[in-house]
Amino acid sequence: MAFGLDRRGVLAGALALAACDRRAGAQAAPVDLPPLRTLAQFAIGAAVQAAQLDDPDLGPLIAAQASQLTAEWEMKMEYILQDDGAYRFDAGDRIAAFARANGQRLFGHTLVWFDQRPAAFVALDESRISFEAAYRNYIAAVVGRYRDIAVGWDVVNEAVGEQGEGLRKSLWSDKLGDIKHMVIAFQAARQADPAAILFLNDYNLESLPAKRKAFLKLAEQLLAEGAPLGGLGTQSHLTADLARGAYGAHLRDLASLGLPIHVSELDVSQTRAPLHLIDPGGVRAAQSRLYAEVAEAFSALPAPQRFGLTLWGLRDKDSWLRRENAADAPCLFDDQGRPKPAAGAFANGLR
Ligand code: G3I
């Protein structure tokens, strides 16, 4: 009997070796790994910033590992919409060009978000143009610009209350209505790009069942109102100590509507796990296990519902979570861009 190890065997072996090291502060040994985009039957995305694409180390890593790109912030109103109402597309265009050059899909993030209150809308001269017309014009301009490369959009981001209590209030809901502002946004996006899959996106859906229930209820309400909702995005900013099985259960629940699912912003914080300071090696192992569960659970979805799985940054050093805690290591690749044991566990879970 041949004793040659197949890919899974090699990965499992590397994992076991690397996970043995539980000393505090010790960096787990990197593993040897084929590019993630070659291992999955679905899109593997990465959140990027335009400047990263010209970085001699990070640019090639993004090109090699990802088959889909999301602008981390440069396709949001905060970047595009200037105070005088002018649009700034240079960064989005750079990201789109990189995607075209590297055979990658572009995912648009995000059109309408409670977090964004651009001066151009707050101080809009409504004697010149109605708020709704300006809102529709913005969506049409942004979605229309990238319709050749964008496969989908987060049309509405984080609309459900923090704990699942009702819908968030925003400039958009105040001006156009709690549900109506969302229906208008989906319809305007559809008009600008007949082919893009249009998503509702939110976070903590895996850890707050009440929020997940409210999210699904909102999705059904939007569909009932005629919004061309085409997919559900679960951001998945996870903490390494998430209970075993919780992630898979949440994914199956979201998939019950029958729509495509986008794991849209995956990272697994080590430092947000209470045990981090007491048992850092144990938290690293828990992170690997959770990344594997995400990959396995998403791979197990029906193929038509596997829109894509996006990593919110490839390297630890680039993560937004580093701004909260410089010791966090939430990504699959270390500061030098080397695959961590978590990357091996994640790869092993892909089907
Ligand atoms: O790069 C500029 C820098 O040149 C400038 O000096 C500095 C101060 O103005 O801003 C820097 O840009 C910041 C950018 O991150 C890059 O670091 C923006 O101000 C800042 O707003 C932006 O934050 C992003 C945030 O969304 C708000 O857009 C984060 O990178 C991004 O990770 C975060 O992502 C969100 C998702 O969109 C929605 N889900 C939650 C997730 C995490 O908060």
Side-chain angles (χ1 to χ4, degrees), residues 3-344:
F3 286 90
L5 284 174
D6 66 4
R7 176 170 67 85
R8 292 191 199 296
V10 170
L11 288 171
L15 266 179
L17 201 63
C20 285
D21 185 344
R22 300 169 73 102
R23 283 168 300 143
Q27 286 307 316
V31 298
D32 186 23
L33 199 65
L36 293 175
R37 70 185 285 184
T38 67
L39 299 176
Q41 306 297 316
F42 44 81
I44 295 289
V48 299
Q49 298 178 33
Q52 294 171 344
L53 305 179
D54 299 314
D55 177 294
D57 299 318
L58 184 51
L61 185 70
I62 293 167
Q65 296 295 333
S67 52
Q68 180 176 292
L69 301 182
T70 297
E72 185 169 8
W73 72 293
E74 291 157 317
M75 289 174 68
K76 296 171 182 169
M77 283 184 183
E78 67 176 282
Y79 185 88
I80 292 175
L81 191 52
Q82 306 309 288
D83 291 356
D84 64 0
Y87 296 146
R88 181 173 56 159
F89 286 122
D90 60 331
D93 290 357
R94 174 72 187 95
I95 294 167
F98 187 93
R100 289 189 196 94
N102 291 286
Q104 297 163 318
R105 313 187 324 174
L106 179 69
F107 184 79
H109 174 80
T110 181
L111 297 173
V112 177
W113 188 14
F114 79 91
D115 183 70
Q116 311 271 292
R117 293 181 63 88
F121 273 106
V122 171
L124 184 71
D125 175 359
E126 295 186 49
S127 67
R128 192 177 56 77
I129 181 171
S130 74
F131 191 94
E132 179 175 339
Y135 181 78
R136 285 177 180 276
N137 289 350
Y138 174 83
I139 292 169
V142 176
V143 175
R145 189 177 186 90
Y146 299 107
R147 62 182 282 178
D148 70 303
I149 182 89
V151 287
W153 279 90
D154 280 334
V155 175
V156 173
N157 187 46
E158 301 176 8
V160 174
E162 189 62 29
Q163 301 298 324
E165 75 292 350
L167 300 177
R168 289 185 191 271
K169 291 299 179 189
S170 66
L171 173 63
W172 325 112
S173 65
D174 292 347
K175 283 285 191 181
L176 297 173
D178 290 353
I179 293 292
K180 187 165 176 251
H181 85 275
M182 299 188 216
V183 175
I184 292 170
F186 276 96
Q187 289 172 340
R190 169 57 69 243
Q191 202 168 356
D193 184 345
I197 300 178
L198 304 178
F199 283 79
L200 181 69
N201 190 51
D202 220 319
Y203 66 92
N204 284 354
L205 302 180
E206 69 287 332
S207 53
L208 296 178
K211 186 169 187 179
R212 184 167 73 240
K213 187 172 178 214
F215 179 80
L216 285 168
K217 181 171 171 249
L218 172 59
E220 290 174 322
Q221 196 173 354
L222 290 172
L223 290 168
E225 295 284 338
L229 171 67
L232 301 179
T234 177
Q235 291 182 15
S236 306
H237 292 293
L238 308 180
T239 300
D241 61 352
L242 181 69
R244 193 183 293 268
Y247 193 84
H250 120 275
L251 219 47
R252 289 187 291 276
D253 193 14
L254 290 178
S256 64
L257 239 55
L259 292 174
I261 303 293
H262 184 199
V263 174
S264 54
E265 307 180 17
L266 179 60
D267 45 32
V268 180
S269 173
Q270 293 184 15
T271 52
R272 286 183 171 183
L275 267 178
H276 168 69
L277 292 175
I278 301 165
D279 179 12
V283 171
R284 280 201 300 273
Q287 180 189 57
S288 291
R289 185 202 60 73
L290 184 49
Y291 265 116
E293 181 178 337
V294 173
E296 285 159 7
F298 189 78
S299 296
L301 290 177
Q305 288 188 272
R306 296 194 304 242
F307 174 79
L309 193 163
T310 293
L311 301 162
W312 208 245
L314 293 179
R315 295 183 314 187
D316 289 330
K317 67 187 288 188
D318 309 306
S319 173
W320 68 290
L321 287 168
R322 274 282 172 91
R323 296 171 219 168
E324 176 182 293
N325 188 322
D328 208 349
C331 298
L332 292 178
F333 297 83
D334 65 19
D335 289 356
Q336 289 71 42
R338 299 171 305 185
K340 296 153 53 177

